Amino acid sequence: MQNIFIMTEKYFLKIRIYFLSIITIANCSLLIWDYFHGGVPSHHLLQREDLPAFSNWLGGILIPLLVWFLLYRIQKRISNSSGISKDTINLLSAFLGALGFGILLSIFFTLGNTEIPFYLVVSLLFLALFLPIYRAEYFLGFVTGMIFTFGGILPIGIIAIISLIGAVLYRIVRPGIRYLTSKITSLATSKKNNSGNL
């Protein structure tokens, strides 16, 4: 059993290295492309020019660190769970769903449509009541899907805020709604039983 766990650790380490290499090469290629085609863009906080700007060059450092950290978090969760194959499928589905969502948002933004990305973000907050979008696999998928359009810095900032809100919705608001719903249901059932006994 110990050998299987060591193999799993080695396997995940390989995955982390491959994925990190692909993302780093893609991100650096994008930065080089930007550099030779009008310059690497910078993004001002809240899109206000009187506030500090962050260059996408910073994403060349932050993206690899973020990818390594998020893959480590994913690996730890799989290692600590009992059903590795089921959890792996769930994690992969969550990552691919978030990746598709990030790509879709980027496509609409690139086409000049700002309304649909807004509604997509709002729908994401609604989904946060049902899915743990704050987890590492979702974060990784969202950021990866948005890198090509927005660079490295903007997706990290946007998804960090959405993940924080998502964590509050999933871990605090959702249990509160379920608790209230169960109380209302039990109250309605007891009233119905009492009226039936009369």
Side-chain angles (χ1 to χ4, degrees):
M1 193 69 164
Q2 185 130 10
N3 291 336
I4 294 171
F5 183 74
I6 292 167
M7 266 300 267
T8 306
E9 290 282 327
K10 287 181 180 177
Y11 178 72
F12 282 124
L13 182 60
K14 271 187 181 177
I15 289 175
R16 285 169 71 190
I17 291 169
Y18 288 143
F19 194 84
L20 177 67
S21 302
I22 292 166
I23 293 296
T24 303
I25 290 167
N27 191 36
C28 289
S29 301
L30 181 62
L31 289 172
I32 292 166
W33 171 266
D34 285 340
Y35 180 77
F36 288 109
H37 293 84
V40 176
S42 295
H43 305 281
H44 290 275
L45 285 173
L46 304 174
Q47 294 185 350
R48 288 180 45 188
E49 292 196 14
D50 58 326
L51 293 175
F54 296 96
S55 172
N56 275 355
W57 282 117
L58 190 57
I61 299 165
L62 288 181
I63 290 292
L65 292 174
L66 179 75
V67 167
W68 188 257
F69 171 73
L70 292 175
L71 287 174
Y72 171 76
R73 296 284 304 149
I74 291 168
Q75 176 184 345
K76 286 293 275 185
R77 211 164 69 248
I78 289 175
S79 298
N80 292 338
S81 66
S82 54
I84 289 178
S85 59
K86 184 184 175 190
D87 284 339
T88 305
I89 291 167
N90 290 341
L91 288 166
L92 190 59
S93 301
F95 170 75
L96 291 174
L99 178 69
F101 190 93
I103 290 170
L104 191 65
L105 195 139
S106 298
I107 288 170
F108 282 118
F109 191 85
T110 304
L111 293 174
N113 190 326
T114 53
E115 285 184 26
I116 293 177
F118 171 76
Y119 291 123
L120 283 172
V121 170
V122 171
S123 71
L124 190 61
L125 294 175
F126 175 73
L127 282 173
L129 289 168
F130 306 99
L131 298 170
I133 64 165
Y134 61 90
R135 287 189 179 161
E137 58 273 19
Y138 288 97
F139 200 112
L140 185 61
F142 292 137
V143 171
T144 305
M146 294 166 64
I147 286 175
F148 183 76
T149 302
F150 300 104
I153 296 298
L154 216 51
I156 292 173
I158 291 167
I159 300 305
I161 293 166
I162 289 173
S163 293
L164 186 64
I165 296 168
V168 170
L169 289 170
Y170 190 81
R171 296 182 70 93
I172 297 170
V173 175
R174 179 177 186 242
I177 291 170
R178 291 174 86 177
Y179 176 77
L180 285 173
T181 306
S182 68
K183 284 291 180 190
I184 291 168
T185 305
S186 65
L187 198 73
T189 307
S190 66
K191 277 188 177 179
K192 190 176 180 183
N193 290 341
N194 288 342
S195 65
N197 291 335
L198 291 174

